[in-house]
Amino acid sequence: GDALSSVLTIRNRPGTQDGIAGDVTLGASEAGITLDGPLGQEGNWLFSVRRSYLQFLFEALDLPIRPDYWDAQISVNWEPTVRDRFTFTGIGAVDEFGIIEPGPEADYENQEIFQSVLDNDQKSYTVGGTYRRLLRAGGILRVKASRSFIDYRFSDEDASGVTVLSNNSLEQESRLEAEAETGLGDRLRAGIGGELVRASINSEVYQRAIPGGVLPEDVLYNSDAGFWKPALWGQMTWRLGPLTATNGFRLDGVSALDEMWALSPRASLRYATDSNIDLTLAGGVFHQAPSKLALSVEKEGVRINEGLKQLRNWQVVGGADWRVNPGFRIGAEGFFKAYDQMPVLAADPDINLANLGDDY
């Protein structure tokens, strides 16, 4: 949900049950340590942290940029019974990116870097837990809760030190999710789920009007917006000999929009041939909420982007997968995607925000 095209999945390996173990990593730009071990007889844990020292290398090379970051993650698993599992996961990072003004004898390239790169810092984390219960007839129940936090802070100054652009935005999401799936006979499997997300943003944005620029006056606003994002989904899978067919739907809501709900139907087919070649075909609709910053914009105390729709992507994917032997596989895939309901500039509807880039 809330993704038009792709997602990144991170799977942590379980911690060892043979006592505390670990390793140290030393690279060209960072150092890290990973530790893991048992949690009694029923659980395990894993922890890692990394620290950059690229800023010291750049300082030695007399470059004006100073990347400086920490990141860490933790994973804890506990299985009190053969049917029950609790998992806790956390991942976070602190990025303090600095810009140092080069001296008067610096070359043109370093002067250009100093003038064009924004001073920006970010802090972010996601923490969450999952309870999984194995049910009768091969069923599974999952309950998840999580919280995400992202703090953006960036600014740009002119040659005299006067701020031209700044953005301090704090985005947060708290999520509660439940889903269940079960077999309905030998050939049919069904699943259903739902979630409730509370999203919020607190932003302070400033952009100074420059003579000859597009802004007639300075832009300065503060906003504090919160809204709900509920969702429901369902799915059924049939297995008929070599053919597996799946169809389902997802219903996403954004309370900050006039048109709150968006329906996303999806379906897929997989056919396993006798020559170890699987043929696949899938299609569906995907929706994503407009950015929190866009939904928080106000004019004279009224939020002016509530008429936006959820961004939409129609896509079809087809492919073939050939298992030559147990250790060798060849696959090919093609896709077609069509995007619509994308935000555009109100002052110039021919300009799509997704195509602007960060230098607009």
Side-chain angles (χ1 to χ4, degrees):
D2 209 21
L4 285 185
S5 181
S6 60
V7 296
L8 173 66
T9 301
I10 300 173
R11 292 188 176 92
N12 287 315
R13 64 172 175 81
T16 178
Q17 291 293 128
D18 301 328
I20 297 179
D23 59 72
V24 175
T25 302
L26 188 64
S29 61
E30 64 189 20
I33 183 171
T34 301
L35 298 172
D36 62 301
L39 188 66
Q41 297 297 320
E42 298 85 18
N44 56 78
W45 58 270
L46 181 146
F47 173 78
S48 71
V49 63
R50 293 189 304 171
R51 174 72 166 108
S52 72
Y53 45 78
L54 197 60
Q55 64 273 24
F56 305 119
L57 176 61
F58 282 18
E59 182 179 2
L61 296 175
D62 201 25
L63 294 175
I65 57 177
R66 300 287 193 271
D68 184 356
Y69 63 84
W70 290 85
D71 64 49
Q73 61 177 317
I74 185 172
S75 177
V76 180
N77 296 283
W78 180 49
E79 298 186 33
T81 72
V82 295
R83 290 182 174 271
D84 299 289
R85 176 191 294 169
F86 294 88
T87 302
F88 172 81
T89 302
I91 184 169
V94 176
D95 187 355
E96 297 178 341
F97 188 92
I99 304 290
I100 305 299
E101 183 174 2
E105 298 180 355
D107 58 24
Y108 173 79
E109 183 179 357
N110 280 342
Q111 292 285 356
E112 182 69 16
I113 292 175
F114 174 72
Q115 294 295 332
S116 60
V117 177
L118 295 180
D119 182 9
N120 65 90
D121 300 328
Q122 297 183 36
K123 298 178 181 179
S124 61
Y125 70 80
T126 294
V127 293
T130 300
Y131 167 64
R132 188 214 66 184
R133 170 74 177 179
L134 298 180
L135 306 175
R136 305 293 180 183
I140 300 176
L141 170 67
R142 299 186 188 91
V143 179
K144 308 175 185 179
S146 66
R147 176 176 173 79
S148 297
F149 168 101
I150 303 178
D151 185 4
Y152 302 98
R153 297 182 181 273
F154 64 84
S155 62
D156 189 21
E157 298 178 349
D158 61 16
S160 60
V162 177
T163 299
V164 177
L165 172 68
S166 68
N167 181 357
N168 298 328
S169 295
L170 176 62
E171 299 186 9
Q172 302 181 75
E173 283 193 356
S174 298
R175 182 184 306 266
L176 180 62
E177 176 184 329
E179 62 179 353
E181 58 181 88
T182 187
L184 303 174
D186 297 333
R187 298 181 176 180
L188 184 63
R189 191 169 184 86
I192 191 171
E195 70 179 6
L196 183 62
V197 179
R198 178 62 178 178
S200 65
I201 179 172
N202 183 285
S203 59
E204 180 179 324
V205 178
Y206 170 75
Q207 185 168 358
R208 183 159 60 91
I210 301 175
V214 297
L215 296 176
E217 58 184 14
D218 294 352
V219 174
L220 174 62
Y221 72 89
N222 298 285
S223 63
D224 189 1
F227 50 92
W228 296 95
K229 296 197 297 184
L232 296 171
W233 61 87
Q235 177 174 291
M236 298 193 75
T237 300
W238 290 268
R239 293 180 175 85
L240 304 173
L243 180 66
T244 301
T246 301
N247 66 351
F249 74 94
R250 183 178 173 97
L251 184 65
D252 288 284
V254 181
S255 65
L257 298 178
D258 294 335
E259 191 174 319
M260 178 175 175
W261 295 98
L263 179 64
S264 303
R266 299 163 193 175
S268 69
L269 293 171
R270 175 180 287 272
Y271 183 77
T273 68
D274 295 334
S275 54
N276 290 331
I277 297 177
D278 288 353
L279 305 176
T280 59
L281 179 66
V285 180
F286 297 79
H287 284 91
Q288 180 174 317
S291 71
K292 297 181 181 68
L293 188 61
L295 294 177
S296 71
V297 174
E298 295 183 354
K299 187 175 183 179
E300 298 178 354
V302 178
R303 295 206 175 102
I304 60 175
N305 287 328
E306 293 181 347
L308 291 176
K309 297 182 179 180
Q310 295 190 47
L311 287 61
R312 183 166 59 186
N313 176 18
W314 309 71
Q315 57 181 287
V316 178
V317 185
D321 194 78
W322 178 27
R323 297 183 302 281
V324 181
N325 58 52
F328 185 43
R329 185 172 66 180
I330 299 174
E333 190 175 79
F335 64 86
F336 173 80
K337 299 180 182 180
Y339 295 83
D340 64 353
Q341 300 182 173
M342 307 295 288
V344 298
L345 285 181
D348 190 349
D350 291 331
I351 299 181
N352 188 325
L353 297 184
N355 296 331
L356 292 182
D358 59 3
D359 58 348
Y360 180 75

